[in-house]
Amino acid sequence: MELDLKNTGIVYNQDISGSKDFAAEVSSCFFNQGLTKTLPKIYDMENMPNNITYAVAIGGDGTLLKCARHYSKLNVPVFGFNMGRLGYLSQALPNELDFVIQKIKDKDFRIEERLMLKSNTDNIALNDMVIKNESNARTSVLNLFINDRPICSYMADGIIISTPTGSTAYSLSAGGPVISPDIDCFIIVPICPHTLNARPVIVSSNVTVTVKICENCGYQITADGQDTRLFKNEVVIKKYENCAKLLLLNKEKNDFYRILRQKLHWGVAPNKC
């Protein structure tokens, strides 16, 4: 996929201090360095436009996730500058702006398509869907079906259905495995299960996942920790017909496993006493 910079948009998170000012700096640099013929417009996350060809997200991973969901429907690639905390998905820090511009000039990048989820509640997600009791205070019995076949019943605080991209997020914290993002699968992880034989399940991304609730009470499904909808009785989750498109710079520290070690300190042996 070619990168079309003719209508670049800069999207910033208005809740993060300094993000608007840095968005203006990014816009100026893109224009002054000849990446765009006009000064790219800047937008806050509540007013993302539909008529851009390339999106630069400025904030944290939450900003990038929201942009990726919005622009997946429009086939627009997204790049993230991290001004938040962990910044696992975001590609660069503000002090790397000149480096980013040079990489784009040199066409030393790739655009990866990432698997997404959709539900019958009209949620879409790049990381995960989380199903919990609406009150968040009760353990639930959650019946899991794959292609309408019963798999298991979880007595747990909830269930996470995750993509490989989201395997290093909430799913990992709940005991799920790390999955390389180039593998097409879903990870199903119970949250705080009350039985020792309740374990995560990895299934093909081509299946239909259904979670049925026995109790007559309200439940909620949350996409990427941001978009929450209420439902009753059951919820159905499938592969979304569109993919998120993430622009990734070709640099050594951008390798998936290197980022895993760098950001999450994966496999780092404890220091000797």
Side-chain angles (χ1 to χ4, degrees):
M1 179 180 177
E2 291 291 326
L3 182 62
D4 183 358
L5 295 168
K6 68 183 179 185
N7 195 6
T8 296
I10 317 294
V11 180
Y12 69 93
N13 187 333
Q14 60 271 27
D15 295 328
I16 295 181
S17 176
S19 63
K20 186 175 182 179
D21 290 340
F22 183 61
E25 182 181 349
V26 172
S27 177
S28 296
C29 285
F30 268 54
F31 176 65
N32 293 334
Q33 293 294 323
L35 290 181
T36 59
K37 294 182 179 180
T38 58
L39 197 67
K41 294 181 180 179
I42 65 173
Y43 309 86
D44 63 50
M45 285 204 305
E46 304 308 316
N47 296 285
M48 289 187 285
N50 292 335
N51 62 342
I52 64 174
T53 55
Y54 171 52
V56 179
I58 296 174
D61 280 349
T63 310
L64 190 143
L65 286 168
K66 188 168 184 176
C67 284
R69 290 200 307 275
H70 182 83
Y71 289 112
S72 64
K73 297 171 284 189
L74 303 170
N75 204 36
V76 173
V78 179
F79 178 87
F81 279 98
N82 180 41
M83 298 186 70
R85 289 172 292 182
L86 182 62
Y88 195 88
L89 292 174
S90 301
Q91 284 288 293
L93 296 171
N95 61 12
E96 295 179 295
L97 176 56
D98 290 340
F99 173 78
V100 171
I101 288 175
Q102 191 59 51
K103 284 287 188 181
I104 294 175
K105 279 184 173 182
D106 295 340
K107 297 185 178 180
D108 192 15
F109 59 82
R110 64 193 184 278
I111 297 175
E112 286 192 2
E113 294 189 346
R114 296 291 182 91
L115 174 73
M116 298 182 72
L117 304 167
K118 69 174 181 179
S119 71
N120 63 337
T121 54
D122 292 328
N123 297 73
I124 63 171
L126 172 55
N127 263 1
D128 51 42
M129 301 272 194
V130 178
I131 299 164
K132 288 184 176 181
N133 189 295
E134 186 180 354
S135 72
N136 279 325
R138 294 180 55 194
T139 298
S140 305
V141 176
L142 304 155
N143 298 301
L144 176 66
F145 294 77
I146 304 295
N147 290 340
D148 294 325
R149 291 177 295 180
I151 302 300
C152 61
S153 293
Y154 290 120
M155 179 177 287
D157 289 353
I159 289 181
I160 304 166
I161 293 91
S162 170
T163 67
T165 299
S167 69
T168 51
Y170 193 5
S171 172
L172 181 64
S173 299
V178 173
I179 305 289
S180 176
D182 59 351
I183 298 173
D184 283 340
C185 66
F186 300 152
I187 307 105
I188 303 170
V189 183
I191 304 169
C192 300
H194 286 231
T195 52
L196 294 177
N197 62 349
R199 292 292 181 266
V201 178
I202 299 174
V203 298
S204 166
S205 64
N206 294 318
V207 305
T208 298
V209 178
T210 304
V211 177
K212 296 185 179 182
I213 313 297
C214 295
E215 302 143 328
N216 186 24
C217 60
Y219 274 75
Q220 64 184 29
I221 179 169
T222 303
D224 292 338
Q226 296 174 333
D227 182 14
T228 298
R229 313 284 175 94
L230 301 180
F231 72 94
K232 287 189 176 181
N233 301 322
E234 70 176 43
V235 66
V236 179
I237 296 171
K238 299 179 180 180
K239 179 196 291 187
Y240 186 39
E241 56 268 24
N242 300 317
C243 292
K245 293 175 176 60
L246 304 184
L247 187 144
L248 305 178
L249 302 178
N250 292 329
K251 52 182 180 177
E252 185 182 3
K253 69 177 183 179
N254 236 14
D255 171 79
F256 170 74
Y257 301 102
R258 183 177 292 271
I259 293 174
L260 192 64
R261 295 192 299 271
Q262 178 190 11
K263 297 286 187 178
L264 299 183
H265 307 291
W266 190 264
V268 176
N271 294 327
K272 294 181 179 180
C273 297

